Amino acid sequence: MATVSGHRPVYLDHNATSPLRPEAREAMLAALEIGANASSIHALGREARAVIESARADVAALVNAKSSEVIFTSGGTEANAHAISSAAAGGDIKRLIIGATEHDAVAANARASGLPVEVWPVDADGLADLNWLAARLANWRAEEGRPFVALMLANNETGVIQPVAEAAALIHSLSGRLHVDAVQAAGKIEIDIKALGADTLALSAHKLGGPQGVGALIVRDHVRLRAVLLGGGQEGGLRAGTENVAGIAGFAAAVRAAVRDLPFAADQSVWRDAAANRLAGEGAVIVGANAPRLSNTLCLAAPHMPSSLQVMSLDLEGVMVSAGAACSSGKVRPSSVLTAMGLNDLAGGALRASGGWNTTAQDWDRFADVWCALHARQVARAKTREFA
Ligand code: PLP
């Protein structure tokens, strides 16, 4: 992209999609060159199969799972949908509990499951209330079936990291099942599926520098899932359809790069916090500031500055961020995450800036410069109106 007002464009929207890492691009091009079906038994088919199986090992290693526990999917949405619809179809699960700030990929699929859905509240920092879960499970009745709970590891808007392992202990004490949407956390913090106690876990390649349209559902050995797509019997019969060999290769290459870069991920918080402090000095509210958060994510709300105004004004200056949740229609709605946190007054003014593998300290500085200038203009305009 060309420079804007003499500045290099700034992309702080990695939680929407992280640009493709060079390693992923290279792996995808090499896989595309194979040009064969991984189910074919001839030499090129075997080559494609080898790419998939080596990728499976890389994705498994990312979360300390076994290769046999990885099912490749078309992305995070499908992985979440598979875990939820399959649990709902099993018969032993009769109602679903979902965190109040879950992504629609979880919430909409839970609501569509046909089972009653209970919403597990969060506090003002966006943390799921463990006392609520403990009390709810203490009153669980046998006729309610096995408990099923979906709790995300890190929130897409605020970056808030949920107490998943603590929740798992409560859920498993009743032989319940825990599904974890780890789409935003993967590649940003270390994930150990065993330590977390997740029974199923969703991942998406494009949030960590891989291609869009590919992800994985990790299914622990002891969990029996139903197939969602029937056909050729790929992915252990659980997810039919010719595998996206190039996408899977790119996913694995991005995973390897993200694991390599993980020790440096924490550095982002220094740059992010420097920007946050400047914005807070102008009156912005930093959302989730008191909770453990991903180091790359900054969610703020500015009273009297609608999200859409902020996003568009920043965009004109070459700074690309999101208004709360990015939504497919391109329309900006008040953030349901902030509403769930009880921040109704701020939900219409939420803004999310999220860095990633190619973000620099200068990017966060430029974001703060442009936002503070915008805020100053808005304050001046409001004063003029006051005296008009
Ligand atoms: N879960 C979370 C927390 C997300 O942020 C997203 C994407 O925004 C998804 C699931 C959906 O993933 P995908 O875009 O790969 O379908």
Side-chain angles (χ1 to χ4, degrees), residues 15 75-78 80 103 105 152 154 156 181 183-184 204 206-207:
N15 287 11
T77 300
E78 183 189 317
N80 282 311
H103 190 274
M152 67 199 328
N156 43 302
D181 177 347
V183 162
Q184 288 293 346
S204 173
H206 74 109
K207 306 293 186 179

Side-chain angles (χ1 to χ4, degrees), residues 10-19 101-104 152 154-160 181 183-185 188 206-207 212 268 272 275-276 279 284-288 293-302 305-312 314-315 319-328 331-338 341 346-356 359 363-364 367-368 371 374:
V10 168
Y11 183 83
L12 285 176
D13 203 14
H14 282 250
N15 287 11
T17 284
S18 190
T101 57
E102 293 298 304
H103 190 274
D104 268 346
M152 67 199 328
N155 185 264
N156 43 302
E157 286 187 43
T158 61
V160 166
D181 177 347
V183 162
Q184 288 293 346
K188 297 172 188 154
H206 74 109
K207 306 293 186 179
Q212 295 166 334
Q268 289 262 343
R272 184 228 19 216
L279 273 49
V285 177
I286 307 303
V287 179
R293 271 182 306 156
L294 297 176
S295 59
N296 77 315
T297 306
L298 173 62
C299 179
L300 64 104
M305 279 222 294
S307 304
S308 51
L309 171 89
Q310 297 180 64
V311 173
M312 287 188 284
L314 289 167
D315 190 37
V319 177
M320 290 164 270
V321 295
S322 274
C327 65
S328 50
K331 285 193 196 122
V332 178
R333 285 169 282 135
S335 159
S336 59
V337 171
L338 268 67
M341 293 164 72
L346 298 174
L351 192 75
R352 176 188 72 187
S354 51
T359 302
D363 290 335
W364 282 105
F367 161 69
W371 192 92
L374 166 67

